[in-house]
Amino acid sequence: MDVILRRHGLSTSAIRRSKRRPHGLLVDGEDIYTSYLVHAGQIVAILADDKAPSDIVPNEGPVNICYEDEDLLVVDKPAGLAVHPCAGSWDDSLGARLVHYYHQIGLAADFHPVHRLDKGTSGLMVVSKHPAAQHILTQALHSGDFLREYLAVCEGCPSPLSGTVDAPLGRTDTSYIRQEVRADGKSARTHYEVVQQGARFSLLRLVLDTGRTHQIRVHMAYLGHPLAGDFLYGTEDPDLIPRPALHSARLELTQPFSGRRLLFESPLPADMARLLEG
């Protein structure tokens, strides 16, 4: 049984918690140990519950849910909303809003994001409802089973019009937040393609092979074409756009238990589209 559970993506801690719960691990309705030898045709049931709930305080607020099933949610996060409670966003975050939503529908679930978006980044994001789904989806995050595509508006226009930035990233020596291209950094690879070229800005489609902090923002600045509105790696201009012009536009993933392929798209937000006018 232990081997089967691990092959289906359950972590050691999740299996351990299930064993400790009454009727947490069943075969054909009977309690068993993880050493039990399972036979073809038997029905296995495991209570893959949460560990101790997080300390996120629920907060009522809108959540644009694009998809929901018993294992996961796909949400379209607005720009300006932090994923987790943090400095400046202790009272309101995506996590706080989802915990409130779970309470409203009577769901005993905690906040389990599969990946994260910067506070200023808008668009699609996957959140699992329990640790087992989070574990499987996180394992698939940088594989062909989990594809993420971004849209960004950058200053100027990169040359060539498509290419790959393969440059390692690490934190700068003078800042806890700011990242930079550095030889001793972690491997980072970004594929880009110019979709629309304007007089001042260009619209890019980007796909990541890795998911480093601020990866797209740093790589585009490294090319000499920082994202419009990027206060950290480019030029801040709140009158133009009050955030880095980056949007999570497309997600394709495999449902962790049914195996069904899921595809979601989110259109370019109005504040980014305005940059391309004229």
Side-chain angles (χ1 to χ4, degrees), residues 143-161:
S143 72
D145 278 342
F146 200 119
L147 302 176
R148 293 176 289 169
E149 187 177 289
Y150 292 82
L151 292 174
V153 177
C154 73
E155 298 179 10
C157 184
S159 179
L161 298 180

Side-chain angles (χ1 to χ4, degrees), residues 35-95:
S35 58
Y36 181 87
L37 183 61
V38 185
H39 299 282
Q42 290 185 304
I43 297 175
V44 176
I46 180 170
L47 180 60
D49 65 334
D50 270 322
K51 53 186 178 183
S54 71
D55 56 0
I56 295 178
V57 177
N59 185 64
E60 185 175 4
V63 181
N64 185 2
I65 298 175
C66 305
Y67 172 83
E68 180 176 7
D69 64 26
E70 61 186 0
D71 302 306
L72 62 92
L73 295 159
V74 176
V75 302
D76 199 334
K77 186 186 85 67
L81 181 68
V83 171
H84 290 278
C86 60
S89 301
W90 291 118
D91 295 329
D92 192 24
S93 64
L94 179 63

Side-chain angles (χ1 to χ4, degrees), residues 96-189:
R97 293 185 186 186
L98 279 178
V99 170
H100 178 270
Y101 169 71
Y102 293 154
H103 289 181
Q104 291 294 105
I105 64 174
L107 180 65
D110 207 347
F111 183 54
H112 300 285
V114 175
H115 56 115
R116 293 164 176 79
L117 299 176
D118 292 340
K119 182 176 180 179
T121 302
S122 57
L124 300 170
M125 186 177 152
V126 181
V127 180
S128 60
K129 290 183 174 179
H130 53 81
Q134 183 187 37
H135 179 77
I136 297 172
L137 290 169
T138 301
Q139 293 294 103
L141 194 54
H142 300 297
S143 72
D145 278 342
F146 200 119
L147 302 176
R148 293 176 289 169
E149 187 177 289
Y150 292 82
L151 292 174
V153 177
C154 73
E155 298 179 10
C157 184
S159 179
L161 298 180
S162 64
T164 299
V165 185
D166 192 348
L169 300 180
R171 196 169 61 202
T172 65
D173 296 329
T174 57
S175 172
Y176 182 75
I177 299 174
R178 187 181 175 90
Q179 307 289 309
E180 66 180 355
V181 172
R182 52 189 300 163
D184 62 346
K186 295 181 179 179
S187 172
R189 191 178 305 105

